[in-house]
């Protein structure tokens, strides 16, 4: 196989034009994502190095640029581009319509990837005091008018702001293309859209509504940069942050749509409540965009306005509760096979609940006054991204890649190695971030007090990032090998559930590899006969033993600031879970 064949396989250049564009968006999106991961790893290494040895291996400009580039590459170049690619592909396939306006998709594809290049720097050096070609702090703080000459002593290239304009253009070009094709399909539809497609359409509208404020702020910035108009910093900042909360839901609600697609399919059951799914989509669209200042609680704004934003932020809990009850009721009682798609789907479902709880605390003004702008907040949104958004995307991509390429994934073992390594690394990363936040360290703090607990938290986060990044590289290698060497399958005439079933069967948990302990094997192989204990009772007994054993490391700990304390609480927690589930299940209470 020559280089030409490899390029054809990776970019699917022998397929129809929509598949080629979608695959181009996926490939470049993954590349931007990997570059963003490298940026984040640089940041973690700097902070860990400072804690361990009081050495900063990078300059402050490089450190802050790493944060900036990580944000723009992973959230826009990767996440938004991949979300649009998924929407475009499933809009065509599930609506079964002939795609039009090829030029729009090509234009949007070019715009988003050039926008990433423009935002990066160093591209254009201008003669201005305080010019920084790293664009190091401009993007994610968005402290208007930071970066604009005449208003700030910290100045960046105008291409940074033009990059934002191109990102806005991609959002609307791609969004109009998707909405237009829903309109074309609606003219011939006799029934309502399936709920997953309702979510895909709703999120597309969410993007376009949410980008309205940032587009206005970006145009204002460009005009102010060239001194065509003046600039009101507070008004400009509020306009930008209409996008600030909406972007959280632009990134997360596609995962909700994916769950509406995946869970009924995996459970082989219809959605519990079609009406509840549609109403929750409407509520998400309303409440995700009307809280433009809930990230600005510490800005000098009227208290009544802040309280209103607090109430409206809590309102988002309503469609979330409706959604998770609906999906749980759908899956209840189903015989679901354990495979890589199921694993990522369950992770996304549970991760959204766990991460969402920390979001509710952020929305509370009194609590936010304590954790505002600390790494606790960073832990919250990284938990939502890494425990819910990304897992849902991988569940969909495992199916989508096979649909597009006609190839089964190259390695089952690599798929599971990716899952296990990613979950371990991500857990360490999130725990580390939130511990750092509890110490009161603000986000983007390159240096911090070198106290033992805080250093431990920084190292935990860094080790977690390294493990998760290495696991993700395994997935990337598996992806390339799949596109080039994966086993060809005939998918003509197969429905989406049939394709998903074929992918799921090929990626089931490897039967030849067992990580279960002898005790759990014993529980699994013993049935509930009269001559022996039920497996659930055995589980309860094992839990009771663990509870007793947990006291041993606690006894030798000496105080609460030793590793033995964490061993104690871990063993105790596992013991309680085993004994609770085992005893209640064994007594037919649950």
């Amino acid at each position: 196989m020559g280089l030409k064949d490899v390029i054809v396989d990776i970019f699917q250049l022998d397929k129809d034009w929509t598949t080629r564009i979608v695959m181009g968006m996926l490939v470049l999106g993954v590349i931007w994502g990997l570059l963003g991961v490298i940026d984040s790893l640089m940041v973690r290494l700097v902070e860990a190095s400072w804690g361990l040895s009081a050495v900063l291996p990078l300059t402050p400009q490089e450190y802050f640029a790493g944060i900036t580039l990580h944000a723009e590459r992973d959230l826009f170049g990767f996440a938004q581009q991949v979300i649009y690619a998924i929407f475009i592909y499933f809009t065509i396939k599930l609506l079964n319509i002939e795609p039009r306006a090829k030029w729009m998709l090509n234009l949007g594809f070019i715009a988003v990837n050039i926008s990433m290049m423009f935002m990066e720097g160093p591209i254009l050096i201008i003669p201005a005091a305080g010019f920084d070609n790293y664009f190091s702090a401009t993007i994610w703080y968005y402290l208007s008018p930071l970066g604009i000459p005449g208003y700030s002593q910290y100045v960046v290239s105008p291409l940074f702001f033009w990059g934002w304009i191109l990102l806005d253009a991609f959002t609307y070009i791609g969004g109009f293309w998707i909405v237009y094709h829903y309109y074309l399909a609606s003219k011939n539809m006799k029934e309502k859209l399936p709920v997953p497609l309702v979510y895909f359409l709703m999120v597309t509208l969410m993007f376009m509504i949410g980008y309205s404020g940032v587009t206005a702020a970006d145009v204002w910035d460009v005009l102010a940069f060239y001194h065509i108009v003046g600039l009101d910093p507070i008004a400009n900042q509020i306009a930008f942050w209409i996008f600030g909360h909406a972007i959280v839901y632009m990134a997360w609600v596609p995962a909700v749509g994916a769950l509406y697609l995946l869970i009924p399919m995996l459970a082989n059951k219809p959605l519990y409540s079609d009406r509840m799914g549609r109403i929750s989509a409407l509520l998400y669209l309303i409440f995700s965009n009307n809280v433009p200042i809930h990230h600005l609680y510490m800005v000098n704004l009227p208290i009544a306005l802040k309280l209103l934003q607090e109430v409206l932020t809590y309102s988002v809990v309503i469609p979330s509760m409706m959604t998770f009850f609906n999906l749980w009721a759908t899956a209840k009682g189903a015989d679901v096979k354990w495979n890589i798609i199921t694993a990522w789907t369950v992770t996304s479902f549970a991760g959204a609940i766990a991460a969402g709880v920390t979001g509710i605390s952020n929305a509370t003004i009194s609590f936010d006054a304590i954790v505002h702008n600390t790494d606790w907040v960073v832990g919250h949104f990284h938990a939502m991204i890494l425990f819910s958004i990304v897992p849902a995307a991988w569940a969909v991509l495992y199916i989508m890649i096979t649909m597009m390429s006609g190839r089964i994934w190259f390695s089952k073992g690599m798929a599971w190695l990716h899952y296990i390594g990613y979950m371990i690394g991500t857990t360490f990363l999130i725990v580390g971030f939130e511990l750092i936040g509890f110490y009161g360290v603000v986000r983007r703090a390159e240096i911090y007090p070198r106290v033992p607990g805080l250093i431990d938290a920084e190292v935990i986060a860094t080790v977690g990032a390294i493990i998760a990044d290495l696991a993700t590289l395994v997935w990337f290698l598996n992806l390339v090998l799949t596109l080039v060497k994966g086993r060809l399958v005939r998918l003509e005439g197969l429905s989406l559930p049939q394709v998903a079933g074929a992918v799921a069967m090929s990626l089931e948990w490897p039967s030849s590899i067992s990580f279960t302990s002898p005790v759990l094997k014993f529980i699994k192989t013993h049935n509930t006969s009269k001559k022996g204990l039920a497996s659930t009772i055995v589980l309860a007994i094992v839990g009771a033993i663990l509870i007793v054993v947990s006291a041993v490391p606690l006894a030798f700990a000496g105080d609460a600031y030793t590793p033995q304390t964490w061993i104690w609480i871990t063993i105790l927690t596992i013991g309680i879970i085993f004994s609770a589930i085992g005893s209640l299940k064994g007594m037919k209470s649950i």
Side-chain angles (χ1 to χ4, degrees):
M1 176 179 288
L3 179 60
K4 178 180 177 181
D5 296 323
V6 172
I7 294 174
V8 168
D9 287 337
I10 290 178
F11 286 92
Q12 298 293 292
L13 297 179
D14 56 342
K15 300 296 194 303
D16 61 276
W17 67 267
T18 49
T19 299
R20 293 197 302 270
I21 294 176
V22 167
M23 184 55 78
M25 295 174 72
L26 291 178
V27 170
L28 286 183
V30 168
I31 291 174
W32 287 121
L34 291 176
L35 291 173
V37 164
I38 295 172
D39 296 322
S40 64
L41 191 57
M42 291 168 58
V43 173
R44 297 284 359 117
L45 291 174
V46 168
E47 293 186 19
S49 175
W50 170 258
L52 293 173
S53 60
V55 172
L56 296 175
L58 300 178
T59 66
Q61 290 92 338
E62 290 167 335
Y63 169 80
F64 286 111
I67 298 176
T68 299
L69 293 174
H70 163 60
E72 69 178 37
R73 286 167 167 169
D74 280 341
L75 188 50
F76 305 124
F78 169 66
Q80 186 173 342
Q81 186 165 202
V82 169
I83 288 169
Y84 265 49
I86 292 172
F87 286 3
I88 291 165
Y89 188 77
F90 281 103
T91 294
I92 298 302
K93 296 300 179 182
L94 297 182
L95 291 177
N96 195 26
I97 59 175
E98 188 68 27
R100 304 183 186 180
K102 176 180 178 180
W103 65 272
M104 286 186 70
L105 279 191
N106 280 319
L107 186 60
F109 171 62
I110 293 170
V112 68
N113 288 289
I114 291 180
S115 76
M116 293 299 99
M117 300 175 191
F118 276 17
M119 287 185 189
E120 287 185 353
I123 299 174
L124 180 64
I125 303 298
I126 61 173
F131 178 80
D132 187 350
N133 61 348
Y134 283 100
F135 303 173
S136 59
T138 308
I139 184 172
W140 216 239
Y141 268 148
Y142 207 85
L143 296 176
S144 173
L146 193 65
I148 299 178
Y151 293 89
S152 170
Q153 291 186 351
Y154 174 92
V155 180
V156 298
S157 164
L159 290 188
F160 173 81
F161 299 103
W162 282 110
W164 270 98
I165 295 291
L166 287 174
L167 178 63
D168 302 333
F170 162 73
T171 301
Y172 287 107
I173 291 171
F176 283 132
W177 190 95
I178 295 170
V179 172
Y180 173 63
H181 283 77
Y182 274 98
Y183 166 73
L184 292 178
S186 68
K187 294 195 296 185
N188 298 317
M189 291 179 63
K190 296 181 180 180
E191 298 179 351
K192 293 181 179 179
L193 283 172
V195 172
L197 287 181
V198 171
Y199 267 82
F200 292 167
L201 173 61
M202 180 270 289
V203 176
T204 304
L205 296 172
M206 186 184 291
F207 268 101
M208 293 194 287
I209 294 171
Y211 263 80
S212 60
V214 72
T215 301
D218 294 337
V219 173
W220 198 353
D221 288 335
V222 170
L223 295 176
F225 193 98
Y226 295 108
H227 303 291
I228 298 174
V229 299
L231 188 66
D232 184 311
I234 296 296
N236 185 274
Q237 196 174 29
I238 292 175
F240 177 88
W241 281 111
I242 291 175
F243 155 91
H245 184 259
I247 190 63
V248 176
Y249 283 84
M250 293 174 206
W252 176 60
V253 179
V256 178
L259 293 177
Y260 272 110
L261 176 70
L262 293 165
I263 288 178
M265 193 162 56
L266 293 170
N268 195 26
K269 293 170 62 179
L271 186 64
Y272 175 76
S273 173
D274 188 87
R275 181 182 178 85
M276 192 182 298
R278 298 176 191 280
I279 293 174
S280 63
L282 175 63
L283 293 178
Y284 272 131
L285 184 60
I286 293 172
F287 290 123
S288 64
N289 286 291
N290 67 343
V291 284
I293 67 163
H294 101 159
H295 286 283
L296 302 175
Y297 282 157
M298 298 300 105
V299 174
N300 186 20
L301 295 170
I303 296 297
L305 185 58
K306 294 179 183 180
L307 291 173
L308 174 62
Q309 293 293 285
E310 184 178 44
V311 172
L312 292 175
T313 303
Y314 291 152
S315 301
V316 183
V317 176
I318 297 173
S320 293
M321 293 179 66
M322 294 169 62
T323 290
F324 288 105
F325 172 78
N326 201 3
L327 294 172
W328 171 82
T330 300
K332 188 176 184 297
D335 181 19
V336 179
K337 304 298 181 183
W338 188 248
N339 53 67
I340 200 68
I341 299 174
T342 307
W344 284 120
T345 302
V346 170
T347 299
S348 179
F349 181 91
I353 297 174
V357 170
T358 60
I360 295 174
S361 62
N362 293 340
T364 306
I365 295 176
S366 56
F367 186 86
D368 184 75
I370 300 172
V371 301
H372 175 74
N373 219 26
T374 69
D375 265 16
W376 163 269
V377 179
V378 178
H380 157 62
F381 66 72
H382 275 82
M384 186 63 77
I385 292 169
L386 300 177
F387 279 144
S388 185
I389 298 169
V390 174
W394 270 317
V396 172
L397 287 174
Y398 271 110
I399 301 170
M400 187 172 165
I401 293 299
T402 294
M403 289 179 65
M404 296 175 68
S405 65
R407 294 178 183 269
I408 291 294
W409 281 80
F410 179 79
S411 172
K412 178 196 307 186
M414 292 173 73
W416 282 105
L417 180 61
H418 167 225
Y419 177 79
I420 295 170
Y422 176 91
M423 290 304 300
I424 293 173
T426 296
T427 301
F428 280 13
L429 177 68
I430 301 307
V431 170
F433 275 153
E434 296 193 346
L435 287 174
I436 296 168
F438 282 143
Y439 275 91
V441 176
V442 297
R443 59 195 294 192
R444 307 170 76 111
E446 187 178 14
I447 59 175
Y448 48 85
R450 298 179 65 245
V451 296
L454 183 51
I455 294 173
D456 291 343
E458 291 280 1
V459 172
I460 288 171
T462 302
V463 170
I466 293 171
I467 295 172
D469 292 350
L470 291 175
T472 302
L473 287 177
V474 173
W475 173 83
F476 179 70
L477 179 59
N478 198 15
L479 171 65
V480 174
L481 290 172
T482 298
L483 293 174
V484 177
K485 292 188 175 182
R487 178 168 55 88
L488 291 169
V489 290
R490 296 182 63 87
L491 302 176
E492 293 83 359
L494 296 183
S495 64
L496 177 60
Q498 290 172 322
V499 175
V503 176
M505 287 180 61
S506 70
L507 295 174
E508 290 181 345
W509 178 257
S511 58
S512 59
I513 303 175
S514 178
F515 295 100
T516 54
S517 67
V519 172
L520 294 182
K521 286 183 179 179
F522 174 84
I523 293 172
K524 185 176 181 181
T525 55
H526 285 68
N527 57 27
T528 56
S529 65
K530 295 181 180 179
K531 296 182 179 181
L533 291 172
S535 61
T536 51
I537 300 300
V538 174
L539 183 64
I541 293 173
V542 172
I545 294 172
L546 289 175
I547 291 173
V548 175
V549 171
S550 69
V552 176
L554 182 62
F556 288 98
D559 59 59
Y561 296 92
T562 62
Q564 289 95 314
T565 307
W566 292 100
I567 297 173
W568 159 71
I569 192 65
T570 301
I571 297 175
L572 177 64
T573 302
I574 295 173
I576 291 171
I577 293 171
F578 280 13
S579 60
I581 294 175
S583 57
L584 291 178
K585 188 77 172 177
M587 304 304 175
K588 297 183 179 180
S589 298
I590 57 174

